[in-house]
Amino acid sequence: MDAASVAFLREVLSTTRWVERTRELGTFLRSTRSPGGLLLVGTPQDEPWHLAAHLDDEARMSGLSQLAPTLVRWSPPADAPPHLAVGIDRIQAARRGETLFVVAEDKAPAPLLERVDDARRTGATILALDGGDPELEGLAHDALAVPSHDGLFTFDAAQHLVSMAAGEEPRSGGRLIDRLARLAERITGPRLPD
């Protein structure tokens, strides 16, 4: 999907909450402090190659080197080039100022959830793009769940919108208050009418 197609998709989805949510997740990705500190991981069956390429493009076009992801792989071949040889143990070395972005359309396996929990405990920011995995979302500081039954907004479309949003300047306005309200709701639970 090229930039024009993503812009068209944004226009089509403009009356939904999807565009704003992908922008929020993109803004969180921008908060990674250093080059190489954005760790991108998928499941053993589905590594997020496509998203890694788009984030790398956005890093280059925006001049934000911290957006160039470190693709974390479950079983990199011994002869893989250095940028494709980062194994799953890299998550254990994640620290404050780094971001672990988990992309899992299917349920995250227990070994991944354990590593995500460890990274969160060491201070890494955890973000997730998933298909509706409550365990993964419970570990994430922010998560975007994409239901498989939503025909127009697919998991692939979400990856494109998030990567494009990461390379853009954040919008100003009421966003901080909206984020604080969502954070308060996640901590306390939703407000129920009397």
Side-chain angles (χ1 to χ4, degrees):
M1 191 178 289
D2 61 18
S5 298
V6 176
F8 177 73
L9 181 59
R10 272 188 178 167
E11 184 63 32
V12 170
L13 295 170
S14 65
T15 60
T16 70
R17 183 99 170 103
W18 291 120
V19 174
E20 187 59 31
R21 283 296 294 130
T22 56
R23 281 190 170 128
E24 290 166 357
L25 196 59
T27 299
F28 274 118
L29 289 173
R30 291 174 71 94
S31 68
T32 304
R33 293 184 189 158
S34 60
L38 175 56
L39 309 176
L40 181 61
V41 67
T43 63
Q45 296 77 26
D46 193 14
E47 293 179 330
W49 292 90
H50 191 75
L51 181 56
H54 282 293
L55 285 170
D56 196 52
D57 289 344
E58 291 297 334
R60 195 173 49 261
M61 290 186 293
S62 68
L64 298 170
S65 59
Q66 74 267 27
L67 285 179
T70 299
L71 180 62
V72 177
R73 302 180 64 198
W74 285 85
S75 300
D79 61 346
H83 70 287
L84 298 177
V86 178
I88 198 72
D89 291 339
R90 172 60 177 91
I91 295 175
Q92 292 171 306
R95 298 288 176 253
R96 185 171 308 284
E98 293 185 325
T99 301
L100 177 58
F101 187 20
V102 182
V103 179
E105 187 171 9
D106 298 319
K107 187 168 174 34
L112 177 57
L113 293 172
E114 291 167 8
R115 286 175 169 90
V116 170
D117 186 47
D118 290 343
R120 183 180 171 109
R121 290 175 194 270
T122 60
T125 299
I126 310 299
L127 302 177
L129 178 60
D130 64 271
D133 183 342
E135 288 183 83
L136 177 58
E137 291 169 17
L139 292 171
H141 293 95
D142 193 21
L144 178 60
V146 181
S148 59
H149 63 277
D150 191 338
L152 184 59
F153 189 70
T154 64
F155 199 76
D156 186 55
Q159 293 178 64
H160 283 94
L161 290 177
V162 168
S163 63
M164 180 176 256
E168 295 176 331
E169 284 293 323
R171 294 177 160 207
S172 59
R175 296 194 50 197
L176 178 59
I177 194 74
D178 292 339
R179 287 179 27 206
L180 290 173
R182 272 198 326 281
L183 176 62
E185 186 173 305
R186 285 184 82 171
I187 293 170
T188 63
R191 289 183 58 195
L192 301 174
D194 294 331

